[in-house]
Amino acid sequence: MMFTSTGSRGLYKAPLSKSLLLLPTVLTVLLTVLLPQYQDLFIYNLQAVRQGKQFWRLVSGRLICLDLKDTFCSSLLIYNFRIFERRFGSHKFASFLFGAWILSAFVDLLLIEALRFMFELKVDVLPAGLLGPVFALFVPFYSSIPRVQVTQLLGHISITNKSLTYIVGAQLLTSSAYMWVVACSGLIAGMLYYSNKLAVQRFIRVPGWAARFSSVLLEPVFSDSEPTAEAPLGMGATLDIQRQQRMDMLDQQLLLSQLAHLRRNAQQQQAQQTGLLNWNRFFPTLRHRGQNRHHEGPQPQQPPYIPPPASNNDINIATNFLLQH
């Protein structure tokens, strides 16, 4: 399943992503507009945690954004990252978010202490909200989503299918002074959990009973109905088979676009080696004019050269080759 092949499906089969879009946004609006007197309970105050022993702030301060701009950017990212809930399943996706949320809390404290010890920089308050897991999702996004060039700006800046997501992440990163601390802790937590080097997935995960309870409680509320406006594609007997055929075709289109991109790069490199101006392009007949005078008779036509298939027409082998080179 490719990142670009899920736009028409909305939040279908992504109830957890939908709940993370709706609930924090509603709570942020309530705290910002209607109940500003309760915002102090949700401030991510590390000084209160260290000195006042208010450890509950590690939970309340890391659930709800107190800035509408942060809420908007994080909601856009969660919507784009909903592909991982479909790919992993809601249970494994929830375990990833929970594990990244737990690990990023410890990394926050370690980074703050490191800044205070090495640079004498005292950081008391960090941006609030579910930001650690959001930045952690950039790890599987970078590692598992193929990069496909869409266009180029000024001939040098490549615009890909992933550029918009990175731009929104950069906007979120620059929204406050110490957002980079939360971003670094989220990325570190995402790498630790996604790579599973320390077997953290075995110890930090959502229990099965909690996943089943949430499924019974949340899915009837946050599940989207199965899309019916999709044009049928292929000869599948069911919508799931037709949708799988659609995604297979999109994967093939992705592979073809990558092959075209590699071919364009090879042509550009060849053009740079032959000079800035390729005179043969403008005067293609001058090169062989002298030869044509001595050979006026008809020349035998040679069949066009057809390159052999690079992977025996196997889409999986070709995709693996492209991703490894």
Side-chain angles (χ1 to χ4, degrees):
M1 186 187 303
M2 296 293 118
F3 180 77
T4 57
S5 66
T6 59
S8 63
R9 299 177 64 188
L11 291 167
Y12 176 63
K13 289 188 177 181
L16 180 58
S17 299
K18 186 176 182 180
S19 64
L20 293 176
L21 285 174
L22 296 179
L23 293 179
T25 302
V26 171
L27 293 176
T28 299
V29 173
L30 287 176
L31 289 175
T32 304
V33 179
L34 301 178
L35 303 172
Q37 63 272 19
Y38 295 103
Q39 287 188 6
D40 182 68
L41 299 175
F42 298 92
I43 295 177
Y44 192 16
N45 192 333
L46 294 177
Q47 183 180 7
V49 174
R50 292 192 304 264
Q51 299 179 1
K53 307 301 180 182
Q54 299 179 10
F55 297 106
W56 52 270
R57 289 189 180 273
L58 292 174
V59 178
S60 64
R62 305 178 69 249
L63 288 178
I64 303 174
C65 290
L66 299 179
D67 192 322
L68 291 177
K69 297 189 299 295
D70 294 348
T71 303
F72 179 73
C73 291
S74 59
S75 298
L76 286 178
L77 292 174
I78 290 174
Y79 182 78
N80 285 333
F81 292 148
R82 73 199 185 280
I83 182 177
F84 297 115
E85 184 174 2
R86 299 195 186 109
R87 177 179 295 183
F88 300 155
S90 297
H91 185 191
K92 189 175 180 180
F93 182 67
S95 296
F96 179 88
L97 295 178
F98 179 70
W101 188 73
I102 295 293
L103 293 173
S104 61
F106 289 101
V107 179
D108 281 344
L109 297 175
L110 291 177
L111 288 178
I112 293 303
E113 292 298 326
L115 291 175
R116 187 170 62 88
F117 177 77
M118 298 176 61
F119 304 103
E120 297 183 356
L121 180 61
K122 186 178 180 181
V123 180
D124 294 332
V125 179
L126 289 177
L130 199 69
L131 300 173
V134 171
F135 282 107
L137 285 169
F138 276 99
V139 175
F141 179 74
Y142 175 81
S143 303
S144 62
I145 302 300
R147 176 180 177 271
V148 180
Q149 180 176 339
V150 177
T151 185
Q152 281 190 343
L153 294 179
L154 304 177
H156 300 284
I157 303 176
S158 297
I159 303 299
T160 70
N161 59 323
K162 304 168 70 172
S163 298
L164 180 60
T165 303
Y166 289 132
I167 291 174
V168 176
Q171 177 64 34
L172 181 61
L173 180 64
T174 58
S175 63
S176 60
Y178 294 108
M179 182 66 76
W180 64 271
V181 177
V182 178
C184 289
S185 63
L187 293 174
I188 294 173
M191 288 186 288
L192 289 174
Y193 199 88
Y194 187 69
S195 63
N196 199 26
K197 296 295 185 181
L198 303 177
V200 293
Q201 296 182 11
R202 180 181 177 184
F203 304 103
I204 307 177
R205 59 188 179 89
V206 176
W209 63 267
R212 290 189 295 269
F213 176 78
S214 300
S215 177
V216 173
L217 182 64
L218 297 179
E219 281 195 5
V221 180
F222 295 104
S223 293
D224 276 11
S225 59
E226 185 174 2
T228 58
E230 295 181 1
L233 179 66
M235 300 298 295
T238 64
L239 285 177
D240 290 335
I241 297 177
Q242 293 175 6
R243 196 171 293 115
Q244 183 62 42
Q245 293 174 348
R246 180 188 296 274
M247 289 186 289
D248 291 340
M249 177 171 287
L250 289 172
D251 289 344
Q252 293 179 4
Q253 293 176 357
L254 173 65
L255 176 62
L256 293 176
S257 65
Q258 289 177 331
L259 289 173
H261 175 58
L262 293 176
R263 191 180 297 111
R264 285 195 301 268
N265 289 340
Q267 293 175 354
Q268 291 176 359
Q269 293 176 359
Q270 184 178 3
Q272 292 176 358
Q273 292 176 0
T274 57
L276 295 177
L277 293 177
N278 189 358
W279 296 103
N280 293 328
R281 178 183 176 185
F282 298 99
F283 306 102
T285 60
L286 293 178
R287 182 178 181 180
H288 303 288
R289 180 175 296 177
Q291 300 177 0
N292 293 333
R293 291 178 180 177
H294 295 86
H295 300 83
E296 296 179 355
Q299 299 293 329
Q301 296 183 355
Q302 297 181 356
Y305 173 73
I306 301 177
S311 58
N312 294 325
N313 295 322
D314 193 327
I315 192 71
N316 295 322
I317 297 177
T319 304
N320 292 329
F321 175 81
L322 287 175
L323 294 178
Q324 293 173 4
H325 291 77

